[in-house]
Amino acid sequence: MKLSVEGLNILSREISSLDPVVFLGADKTKPAVRQGVGVSGTGKTELMKELIRRAEKSPNMDEYSRLIIFDVKHDGYESLLPEKSEPITDFMGYEKSLTENRVTLIHPEISEAQDFLDEIIDHLFRTSERIEGFSGTLILEESSTYITGHKVPDSLKRFATQGRSMGLSLILLNQRCIGNRWVDTQTASMFVFRLARPDADLWKTRWGICPEMLESKLSEKRFSFAHFDLESLKLDFYEPIKLKDE
């Protein structure tokens, strides 16, 4: 794949131009996977939290739409929870939260994370079959915990290949590019913050995006990011989000 000059938006857009429901929600017309990548401290979690907050308040978010955050690092999303609420740590708590809340935050134990994830994926498929109009987005933090350059768990393969028709989508977040070609074939788009140097080179060899241009643009303003559509090969840059204390 090569990036066309016409697809490059050098002028940064405001984040308000992103529809959070579209950005986070399921889309039966596109591949089920989206990826987010950037080294620690560049703003991935803050972007996700802000978009989740906006999606929750949006009138365009359907009654049976759900966002499930599976966070093995146990850090960053607690502010999304109602006061005095705690992250979910077991399957029973997950089921209850999915019924009652638009957003479910899960803090799995490392030793049980893969089995817990398998259970959740199976449950999301069953729920989609049972409830008309249900849609679910699974946000998988530190996705390299489960996916490597040469291996993808069967449950995630099922989610990526069959989830679209069921109204399910998967957002993979990681500090480094996963570099798994099979996952890339199932990916609709990627958002990228500043990258580790080896990952910048990967963007050039895989998608024809100049790493120097990418680094130069993203380094102009801290926490700015780019969005790359793998279907249209369109690359857009976005201004940093405005945090509450700003």
mmCIF file of all heavy atoms in Angstrom, residues 12-60:
data_model
loop_
_atom_site.group_PDB
_atom_site.id
_atom_site.type_symbol
_atom_site.label_atom_id
_atom_site.label_comp_id
_atom_site.label_asym_id
_atom_site.label_seq_id
_atom_site.Cartn_x
_atom_site.Cartn_y
_atom_site.Cartn_z
ATOM 1 N N SER A 12 -4.035 20.452 10.692
ATOM 2 C CA SER A 12 -4.620 19.654 11.767
ATOM 3 C C SER A 12 -6.085 20.006 11.989
ATOM 4 O O SER A 12 -6.469 21.173 11.987
ATOM 5 C CB SER A 12 -3.840 19.877 13.068
ATOM 6 O OG SER A 12 -2.526 19.400 12.930
ATOM 7 N N ARG A 13 -6.879 18.981 12.205
ATOM 8 C CA ARG A 13 -8.288 19.170 12.487
ATOM 9 C C ARG A 13 -8.517 19.249 13.989
ATOM 10 O O ARG A 13 -7.738 18.744 14.776
ATOM 11 C CB ARG A 13 -9.107 18.009 11.917
ATOM 12 C CG ARG A 13 -8.953 17.809 10.419
ATOM 13 C CD ARG A 13 -9.853 16.703 9.947
ATOM 14 N NE ARG A 13 -9.729 16.507 8.518
ATOM 15 C CZ ARG A 13 -10.648 15.906 7.773
ATOM 16 N NH1 ARG A 13 -11.744 15.431 8.338
ATOM 17 N NH2 ARG A 13 -10.470 15.759 6.482
ATOM 18 N N GLU A 14 -9.640 19.841 14.371
ATOM 19 C CA GLU A 14 -10.037 19.840 15.766
ATOM 20 C C GLU A 14 -10.676 18.491 16.088
ATOM 21 O O GLU A 14 -11.361 17.897 15.251
ATOM 22 C CB GLU A 14 -11.035 20.969 16.050
ATOM 23 C CG GLU A 14 -10.446 22.364 15.898
ATOM 24 C CD GLU A 14 -9.435 22.680 16.988
ATOM 25 O OE1 GLU A 14 -9.494 22.057 18.071
ATOM 26 O OE2 GLU A 14 -8.579 23.558 16.739
ATOM 27 N N ILE A 15 -10.484 18.039 17.326
ATOM 28 C CA ILE A 15 -11.044 16.750 17.718
ATOM 29 C C ILE A 15 -12.571 16.758 17.669
ATOM 30 O O ILE A 15 -13.210 15.720 17.532
ATOM 31 C CB ILE A 15 -10.554 16.339 19.122
ATOM 32 C CG1 ILE A 15 -10.946 14.886 19.418
ATOM 33 C CG2 ILE A 15 -11.060 17.294 20.174
ATOM 34 C CD1 ILE A 15 -10.426 14.364 20.724
ATOM 35 N N SER A 16 -13.159 17.950 17.758
ATOM 36 C CA SER A 16 -14.617 18.060 17.698
ATOM 37 C C SER A 16 -15.170 17.560 16.371
ATOM 38 O O SER A 16 -16.361 17.249 16.267
ATOM 39 C CB SER A 16 -15.057 19.503 17.942
ATOM 40 O OG SER A 16 -14.480 20.371 16.989
ATOM 41 N N SER A 17 -14.318 17.472 15.354
ATOM 42 C CA SER A 17 -14.774 16.972 14.059
ATOM 43 C C SER A 17 -14.891 15.458 14.040
ATOM 44 O O SER A 17 -15.422 14.878 13.097
ATOM 45 C CB SER A 17 -13.823 17.432 12.945
ATOM 46 O OG SER A 17 -12.528 16.861 13.106
ATOM 47 N N LEU A 18 -14.395 14.798 15.094
ATOM 48 C CA LEU A 18 -14.542 13.352 15.212
ATOM 49 C C LEU A 18 -15.870 13.034 15.889
ATOM 50 O O LEU A 18 -16.140 13.511 16.987
ATOM 51 C CB LEU A 18 -13.403 12.760 16.049
ATOM 52 C CG LEU A 18 -12.077 12.448 15.378
ATOM 53 C CD1 LEU A 18 -11.094 11.918 16.419
ATOM 54 C CD2 LEU A 18 -12.246 11.435 14.266
ATOM 55 N N ASP A 19 -16.686 12.237 15.268
ATOM 56 C CA ASP A 19 -17.925 11.773 15.894
ATOM 57 C C ASP A 19 -17.571 10.612 16.817
ATOM 58 O O ASP A 19 -17.155 9.543 16.345
ATOM 59 C CB ASP A 19 -18.914 11.314 14.827
ATOM 60 C CG ASP A 19 -20.264 10.929 15.406
ATOM 61 O OD1 ASP A 19 -20.308 10.476 16.569
ATOM 62 O OD2 ASP A 19 -21.267 11.062 14.699
ATOM 63 N N PRO A 20 -17.699 10.763 18.148
ATOM 64 C CA PRO A 20 -17.265 9.706 19.057
ATOM 65 C C PRO A 20 -18.031 8.405 18.883
ATOM 66 O O PRO A 20 -17.467 7.320 19.075
ATOM 67 C CB PRO A 20 -17.506 10.316 20.445
ATOM 68 C CG PRO A 20 -18.536 11.368 20.229
ATOM 69 C CD PRO A 20 -18.256 11.917 18.862
ATOM 70 N N VAL A 21 -19.302 8.492 18.517
ATOM 71 C CA VAL A 21 -20.092 7.274 18.330
ATOM 72 C C VAL A 21 -19.593 6.505 17.115
ATOM 73 O O VAL A 21 -19.483 5.277 17.135
ATOM 74 C CB VAL A 21 -21.591 7.615 18.194
ATOM 75 C CG1 VAL A 21 -22.400 6.357 17.888
ATOM 76 C CG2 VAL A 21 -22.096 8.265 19.476
ATOM 77 N N VAL A 22 -19.260 7.229 16.048
ATOM 78 C CA VAL A 22 -18.711 6.588 14.853
ATOM 79 C C VAL A 22 -17.308 6.055 15.133
ATOM 80 O O VAL A 22 -16.958 4.932 14.744
ATOM 81 C CB VAL A 22 -18.684 7.577 13.670
ATOM 82 C CG1 VAL A 22 -17.949 6.973 12.477
ATOM 83 C CG2 VAL A 22 -20.099 7.974 13.283
ATOM 84 N N PHE A 23 -16.498 6.846 15.824
ATOM 85 C CA PHE A 23 -15.115 6.465 16.107
ATOM 86 C C PHE A 23 -15.046 5.212 16.974
ATOM 87 O O PHE A 23 -14.211 4.333 16.753
ATOM 88 C CB PHE A 23 -14.409 7.621 16.810
ATOM 89 C CG PHE A 23 -12.920 7.449 16.945
ATOM 90 C CD1 PHE A 23 -12.074 7.866 15.934
ATOM 91 C CD2 PHE A 23 -12.372 6.869 18.076
ATOM 92 C CE1 PHE A 23 -10.689 7.710 16.059
ATOM 93 C CE2 PHE A 23 -10.999 6.711 18.213
ATOM 94 C CZ PHE A 23 -10.153 7.131 17.197
ATOM 95 N N LEU A 24 -15.925 5.120 17.967
ATOM 96 C CA LEU A 24 -15.884 4.009 18.912
ATOM 97 C C LEU A 24 -16.835 2.869 18.563
ATOM 98 O O LEU A 24 -16.615 1.725 18.970
ATOM 99 C CB LEU A 24 -16.234 4.506 20.321
ATOM 100 C CG LEU A 24 -15.287 5.514 20.958
ATOM 101 C CD1 LEU A 24 -15.894 6.057 22.243
ATOM 102 C CD2 LEU A 24 -13.932 4.891 21.245
ATOM 103 N N GLY A 25 -17.903 3.174 17.839
ATOM 104 C CA GLY A 25 -18.967 2.196 17.656
ATOM 105 C C GLY A 25 -18.704 1.167 16.576
ATOM 106 O O GLY A 25 -17.728 1.232 15.827
ATOM 107 N N ALA A 26 -19.601 0.197 16.524
ATOM 108 C CA ALA A 26 -19.518 -0.865 15.528
ATOM 109 C C ALA A 26 -20.034 -0.373 14.177
ATOM 110 O O ALA A 26 -20.899 0.488 14.112
ATOM 111 C CB ALA A 26 -20.326 -2.072 15.987
ATOM 112 N N ASP A 27 -19.476 -0.914 13.106
ATOM 113 C CA ASP A 27 -19.882 -0.554 11.752
ATOM 114 C C ASP A 27 -19.886 -1.829 10.915
ATOM 115 O O ASP A 27 -18.837 -2.396 10.626
ATOM 116 C CB ASP A 27 -18.922 0.475 11.161
ATOM 117 C CG ASP A 27 -19.400 1.013 9.813
ATOM 118 O OD1 ASP A 27 -20.227 0.334 9.160
ATOM 119 O OD2 ASP A 27 -18.952 2.095 9.410
ATOM 120 N N LYS A 28 -21.082 -2.277 10.540
ATOM 121 C CA LYS A 28 -21.207 -3.545 9.810
ATOM 122 C C LYS A 28 -20.701 -3.456 8.373
ATOM 123 O O LYS A 28 -20.627 -4.471 7.682
ATOM 124 C CB LYS A 28 -22.666 -4.002 9.822
ATOM 125 C CG LYS A 28 -23.171 -4.393 11.209
ATOM 126 C CD LYS A 28 -24.593 -4.929 11.159
ATOM 127 C CE LYS A 28 -25.069 -5.338 12.544
ATOM 128 N NZ LYS A 28 -26.436 -5.903 12.524
ATOM 129 N N THR A 29 -20.359 -2.257 7.919
ATOM 130 C CA THR A 29 -19.893 -2.092 6.543
ATOM 131 C C THR A 29 -18.368 -2.085 6.433
ATOM 132 O O THR A 29 -17.840 -2.026 5.327
ATOM 133 C CB THR A 29 -20.432 -0.782 5.939
ATOM 134 O OG1 THR A 29 -19.821 0.338 6.600
ATOM 135 C CG2 THR A 29 -21.940 -0.700 6.096
ATOM 136 N N LYS A 30 -17.664 -2.113 7.579
ATOM 137 C CA LYS A 30 -16.205 -2.018 7.557
ATOM 138 C C LYS A 30 -15.585 -3.134 8.396
ATOM 139 O O LYS A 30 -16.271 -3.741 9.217
ATOM 140 C CB LYS A 30 -15.764 -0.654 8.103
ATOM 141 C CG LYS A 30 -16.188 0.524 7.243
ATOM 142 C CD LYS A 30 -15.656 1.830 7.827
ATOM 143 C CE LYS A 30 -16.046 3.008 6.939
ATOM 144 N NZ LYS A 30 -15.514 4.298 7.464
ATOM 145 N N PRO A 31 -14.281 -3.396 8.208
ATOM 146 C CA PRO A 31 -13.606 -4.375 9.068
ATOM 147 C C PRO A 31 -13.803 -4.046 10.546
ATOM 148 O O PRO A 31 -13.942 -2.878 10.928
ATOM 149 C CB PRO A 31 -12.136 -4.246 8.657
ATOM 150 C CG PRO A 31 -12.188 -3.758 7.243
ATOM 151 C CD PRO A 31 -13.385 -2.852 7.179
ATOM 152 N N ALA A 32 -13.809 -5.084 11.387
ATOM 153 C CA ALA A 32 -14.204 -4.925 12.786
ATOM 154 C C ALA A 32 -13.127 -4.333 13.679
ATOM 155 O O ALA A 32 -13.405 -3.932 14.800
ATOM 156 C CB ALA A 32 -14.635 -6.281 13.350
ATOM 157 N N VAL A 33 -11.868 -4.275 13.198
ATOM 158 C CA VAL A 33 -10.752 -3.903 14.067
ATOM 159 C C VAL A 33 -10.296 -2.474 13.787
ATOM 160 O O VAL A 33 -10.251 -2.029 12.640
ATOM 161 C CB VAL A 33 -9.562 -4.867 13.876
ATOM 162 C CG1 VAL A 33 -8.392 -4.478 14.780
ATOM 163 C CG2 VAL A 33 -9.990 -6.298 14.162
ATOM 164 N N ARG A 34 -9.969 -1.761 14.866
ATOM 165 C CA ARG A 34 -9.263 -0.487 14.788
ATOM 166 C C ARG A 34 -8.075 -0.561 15.736
ATOM 167 O O ARG A 34 -8.139 -1.245 16.758
ATOM 168 C CB ARG A 34 -10.182 0.674 15.176
ATOM 169 C CG ARG A 34 -11.039 1.175 14.024
ATOM 170 C CD ARG A 34 -12.287 1.859 14.519
ATOM 171 N NE ARG A 34 -13.307 0.859 14.828
ATOM 172 C CZ ARG A 34 -14.488 1.152 15.369
ATOM 173 N NH1 ARG A 34 -14.773 2.397 15.672
ATOM 174 N NH2 ARG A 34 -15.364 0.198 15.612
ATOM 175 N N GLN A 35 -7.005 0.128 15.410
ATOM 176 C CA GLN A 35 -5.812 0.088 16.235
ATOM 177 C C GLN A 35 -5.409 1.491 16.686
ATOM 178 O O GLN A 35 -5.602 2.462 15.959
ATOM 179 C CB GLN A 35 -4.642 -0.538 15.469
ATOM 180 C CG GLN A 35 -4.848 -1.990 15.059
ATOM 181 C CD GLN A 35 -3.617 -2.565 14.396
ATOM 182 O OE1 GLN A 35 -2.500 -2.467 14.912
ATOM 183 N NE2 GLN A 35 -3.803 -3.188 13.240
ATOM 184 N N GLY A 36 -4.828 1.565 17.885
ATOM 185 C CA GLY A 36 -4.267 2.801 18.388
ATOM 186 C C GLY A 36 -2.882 2.535 18.936
ATOM 187 O O GLY A 36 -2.682 1.568 19.679
ATOM 188 N N VAL A 37 -1.916 3.350 18.544
ATOM 189 C CA VAL A 37 -0.534 3.081 18.934
ATOM 190 C C VAL A 37 0.194 4.384 19.252
ATOM 191 O O VAL A 37 -0.081 5.429 18.656
ATOM 192 C CB VAL A 37 0.195 2.297 17.811
ATOM 193 C CG1 VAL A 37 0.272 3.119 16.536
ATOM 194 C CG2 VAL A 37 1.571 1.851 18.250
ATOM 195 N N GLY A 38 1.119 4.305 20.184
ATOM 196 C CA GLY A 38 1.932 5.453 20.568
ATOM 197 C C GLY A 38 2.657 5.150 21.859
ATOM 198 O O GLY A 38 2.143 4.428 22.717
ATOM 199 N N VAL A 39 3.861 5.661 21.999
ATOM 200 C CA VAL A 39 4.644 5.374 23.199
ATOM 201 C C VAL A 39 3.949 5.948 24.427
ATOM 202 O O VAL A 39 3.089 6.822 24.334
ATOM 203 C CB VAL A 39 6.079 5.940 23.084
ATOM 204 C CG1 VAL A 39 6.852 5.221 21.991
ATOM 205 C CG2 VAL A 39 6.050 7.442 22.832
ATOM 206 N N SER A 40 4.321 5.446 25.599
ATOM 207 C CA SER A 40 3.693 5.833 26.858
ATOM 208 C C SER A 40 3.774 7.346 27.078
ATOM 209 O O SER A 40 4.796 7.979 26.814
ATOM 210 C CB SER A 40 4.387 5.112 28.017
ATOM 211 O OG SER A 40 3.806 5.469 29.240
ATOM 212 N N GLY A 41 2.657 7.916 27.531
ATOM 213 C CA GLY A 41 2.632 9.336 27.847
ATOM 214 C C GLY A 41 2.285 10.254 26.699
ATOM 215 O O GLY A 41 2.309 11.477 26.850
ATOM 216 N N THR A 42 1.930 9.686 25.534
ATOM 217 C CA THR A 42 1.639 10.534 24.376
ATOM 218 C C THR A 42 0.155 10.889 24.254
ATOM 219 O O THR A 42 -0.194 11.764 23.456
ATOM 220 C CB THR A 42 2.099 9.859 23.074
ATOM 221 O OG1 THR A 42 1.568 8.522 23.020
ATOM 222 C CG2 THR A 42 3.618 9.800 23.005
ATOM 223 N N GLY A 43 -0.723 10.206 25.016
ATOM 224 C CA GLY A 43 -2.113 10.651 25.041
ATOM 225 C C GLY A 43 -3.165 9.654 24.612
ATOM 226 O O GLY A 43 -4.339 10.030 24.493
ATOM 227 N N LYS A 44 -2.815 8.394 24.378
ATOM 228 C CA LYS A 44 -3.803 7.413 23.908
ATOM 229 C C LYS A 44 -4.971 7.264 24.873
ATOM 230 O O LYS A 44 -6.135 7.327 24.474
ATOM 231 C CB LYS A 44 -3.143 6.040 23.709
ATOM 232 C CG LYS A 44 -2.081 5.975 22.653
ATOM 233 C CD LYS A 44 -1.615 4.549 22.423
ATOM 234 C CE LYS A 44 -1.135 3.844 23.675
ATOM 235 N NZ LYS A 44 0.033 4.495 24.311
ATOM 236 N N THR A 45 -4.653 7.055 26.147
ATOM 237 C CA THR A 45 -5.708 6.821 27.137
ATOM 238 C C THR A 45 -6.576 8.059 27.303
ATOM 239 O O THR A 45 -7.812 7.949 27.408
ATOM 240 C CB THR A 45 -5.097 6.422 28.495
ATOM 241 O OG1 THR A 45 -4.323 5.231 28.324
ATOM 242 C CG2 THR A 45 -6.190 6.158 29.521
ATOM 243 N N GLU A 46 -5.980 9.246 27.312
ATOM 244 C CA GLU A 46 -6.768 10.469 27.467
ATOM 245 C C GLU A 46 -7.713 10.657 26.282
ATOM 246 O O GLU A 46 -8.851 11.101 26.450
ATOM 247 C CB GLU A 46 -5.850 11.678 27.614
ATOM 248 C CG GLU A 46 -5.035 11.698 28.891
ATOM 249 C CD GLU A 46 -5.893 11.657 30.142
ATOM 250 O OE1 GLU A 46 -7.019 12.207 30.113
ATOM 251 O OE2 GLU A 46 -5.446 11.083 31.151
ATOM 252 N N LEU A 47 -7.240 10.347 25.090
ATOM 253 C CA LEU A 47 -8.101 10.443 23.913
ATOM 254 C C LEU A 47 -9.282 9.482 24.043
ATOM 255 O O LEU A 47 -10.442 9.865 23.819
ATOM 256 C CB LEU A 47 -7.318 10.128 22.638
ATOM 257 C CG LEU A 47 -8.158 10.004 21.364
ATOM 258 C CD1 LEU A 47 -8.817 11.337 21.015
ATOM 259 C CD2 LEU A 47 -7.319 9.500 20.198
ATOM 260 N N MET A 48 -9.002 8.241 24.419
ATOM 261 C CA MET A 48 -10.064 7.260 24.548
ATOM 262 C C MET A 48 -11.080 7.679 25.603
ATOM 263 O O MET A 48 -12.293 7.584 25.399
ATOM 264 C CB MET A 48 -9.482 5.891 24.898
ATOM 265 C CG MET A 48 -8.626 5.264 23.801
ATOM 266 S SD MET A 48 -9.510 5.087 22.214
ATOM 267 C CE MET A 48 -10.861 4.025 22.707
ATOM 268 N N LYS A 49 -10.600 8.163 26.739
ATOM 269 C CA LYS A 49 -11.517 8.574 27.802
ATOM 270 C C LYS A 49 -12.419 9.714 27.343
ATOM 271 O O LYS A 49 -13.624 9.715 27.618
ATOM 272 C CB LYS A 49 -10.730 8.987 29.045
ATOM 273 C CG LYS A 49 -10.123 7.828 29.810
ATOM 274 C CD LYS A 49 -9.661 8.239 31.202
ATOM 275 C CE LYS A 49 -8.597 9.300 31.174
ATOM 276 N NZ LYS A 49 -8.102 9.614 32.546
ATOM 277 N N GLU A 50 -11.833 10.697 26.661
ATOM 278 C CA GLU A 50 -12.628 11.836 26.217
ATOM 279 C C GLU A 50 -13.678 11.410 25.194
ATOM 280 O O GLU A 50 -14.844 11.850 25.245
ATOM 281 C CB GLU A 50 -11.720 12.914 25.630
ATOM 282 C CG GLU A 50 -12.449 14.168 25.167
ATOM 283 C CD GLU A 50 -13.168 14.884 26.283
ATOM 284 O OE1 GLU A 50 -12.821 14.695 27.474
ATOM 285 O OE2 GLU A 50 -14.114 15.649 25.963
ATOM 286 N N LEU A 51 -13.300 10.540 24.270
ATOM 287 C CA LEU A 51 -14.259 10.073 23.274
ATOM 288 C C LEU A 51 -15.356 9.225 23.909
ATOM 289 O O LEU A 51 -16.523 9.296 23.510
ATOM 290 C CB LEU A 51 -13.527 9.277 22.192
ATOM 291 C CG LEU A 51 -12.633 10.098 21.269
ATOM 292 C CD1 LEU A 51 -11.815 9.188 20.368
ATOM 293 C CD2 LEU A 51 -13.456 11.075 20.425
ATOM 294 N N ILE A 52 -14.995 8.438 24.917
ATOM 295 C CA ILE A 52 -15.993 7.627 25.625
ATOM 296 C C ILE A 52 -16.979 8.538 26.359
ATOM 297 O O ILE A 52 -18.197 8.316 26.329
ATOM 298 C CB ILE A 52 -15.314 6.649 26.601
ATOM 299 C CG1 ILE A 52 -14.588 5.546 25.808
ATOM 300 C CG2 ILE A 52 -16.325 6.023 27.557
ATOM 301 C CD1 ILE A 52 -13.672 4.686 26.652
ATOM 302 N N ARG A 53 -16.473 9.566 27.020
ATOM 303 C CA ARG A 53 -17.358 10.514 27.707
ATOM 304 C C ARG A 53 -18.336 11.154 26.727
ATOM 305 O O ARG A 53 -19.531 11.286 27.009
ATOM 306 C CB ARG A 53 -16.535 11.605 28.398
ATOM 307 C CG ARG A 53 -15.741 11.142 29.607
ATOM 308 C CD ARG A 53 -15.154 12.337 30.347
ATOM 309 N NE ARG A 53 -14.229 11.922 31.393
ATOM 310 C CZ ARG A 53 -12.901 11.941 31.278
ATOM 311 N NH1 ARG A 53 -12.354 12.386 30.151
ATOM 312 N NH2 ARG A 53 -12.134 11.539 32.257
ATOM 313 N N ARG A 54 -17.827 11.569 25.595
ATOM 314 C CA ARG A 54 -18.687 12.218 24.599
ATOM 315 C C ARG A 54 -19.695 11.237 24.011
ATOM 316 O O ARG A 54 -20.850 11.611 23.748
ATOM 317 C CB ARG A 54 -17.831 12.831 23.489
ATOM 318 C CG ARG A 54 -16.929 13.956 23.980
ATOM 319 C CD ARG A 54 -16.169 14.596 22.836
ATOM 320 N NE ARG A 54 -15.211 15.595 23.306
ATOM 321 C CZ ARG A 54 -14.574 16.432 22.530
ATOM 322 N NH1 ARG A 54 -14.771 16.410 21.221
ATOM 323 N NH2 ARG A 54 -13.705 17.307 23.035
ATOM 324 N N ALA A 55 -19.259 9.994 23.795
ATOM 325 C CA ALA A 55 -20.172 8.987 23.246
ATOM 326 C C ALA A 55 -21.314 8.700 24.216
ATOM 327 O O ALA A 55 -22.478 8.573 23.814
ATOM 328 C CB ALA A 55 -19.409 7.701 22.940
ATOM 329 N N GLU A 56 -20.998 8.617 25.510
ATOM 330 C CA GLU A 56 -22.031 8.364 26.520
ATOM 331 C C GLU A 56 -23.119 9.426 26.503
ATOM 332 O O GLU A 56 -24.294 9.143 26.731
ATOM 333 C CB GLU A 56 -21.410 8.320 27.907
ATOM 334 C CG GLU A 56 -20.727 7.019 28.259
ATOM 335 C CD GLU A 56 -20.360 6.972 29.727
ATOM 336 O OE1 GLU A 56 -19.386 7.655 30.115
ATOM 337 O OE2 GLU A 56 -21.049 6.262 30.489
ATOM 338 N N LYS A 57 -22.720 10.668 26.251
ATOM 339 C CA LYS A 57 -23.663 11.785 26.286
ATOM 340 C C LYS A 57 -24.363 12.013 24.946
ATOM 341 O O LYS A 57 -25.305 12.796 24.869
ATOM 342 C CB LYS A 57 -22.926 13.067 26.693
ATOM 343 C CG LYS A 57 -22.332 13.015 28.093
ATOM 344 C CD LYS A 57 -21.534 14.278 28.375
ATOM 345 C CE LYS A 57 -20.897 14.241 29.756
ATOM 346 N NZ LYS A 57 -20.067 15.456 30.019
ATOM 347 N N SER A 58 -23.891 11.345 23.908
ATOM 348 C CA SER A 58 -24.412 11.600 22.564
ATOM 349 C C SER A 58 -25.806 10.988 22.374
ATOM 350 O O SER A 58 -26.045 9.831 22.738
ATOM 351 C CB SER A 58 -23.457 11.019 21.516
ATOM 352 O OG SER A 58 -24.025 11.113 20.221
ATOM 353 N N PRO A 59 -26.724 11.735 21.779
ATOM 354 C CA PRO A 59 -28.045 11.175 21.474
ATOM 355 C C PRO A 59 -27.987 10.124 20.372
ATOM 356 O O PRO A 59 -28.963 9.403 20.158
ATOM 357 C CB PRO A 59 -28.839 12.409 21.022
ATOM 358 C CG PRO A 59 -27.804 13.364 20.510
ATOM 359 C CD PRO A 59 -26.602 13.147 21.375
ATOM 360 N N ASN A 60 -26.848 10.052 19.689
ATOM 361 C CA ASN A 60 -26.707 9.071 18.608
ATOM 362 C C ASN A 60 -26.268 7.696 19.108
ATOM 363 O O ASN A 60 -26.194 6.760 18.324
ATOM 364 C CB ASN A 60 -25.693 9.574 17.587
ATOM 365 C CG ASN A 60 -26.141 10.849 16.902
ATOM 366 O OD1 ASN A 60 -27.326 11.034 16.639
ATOM 367 N ND2 ASN A 60 -25.211 11.742 16.625
#
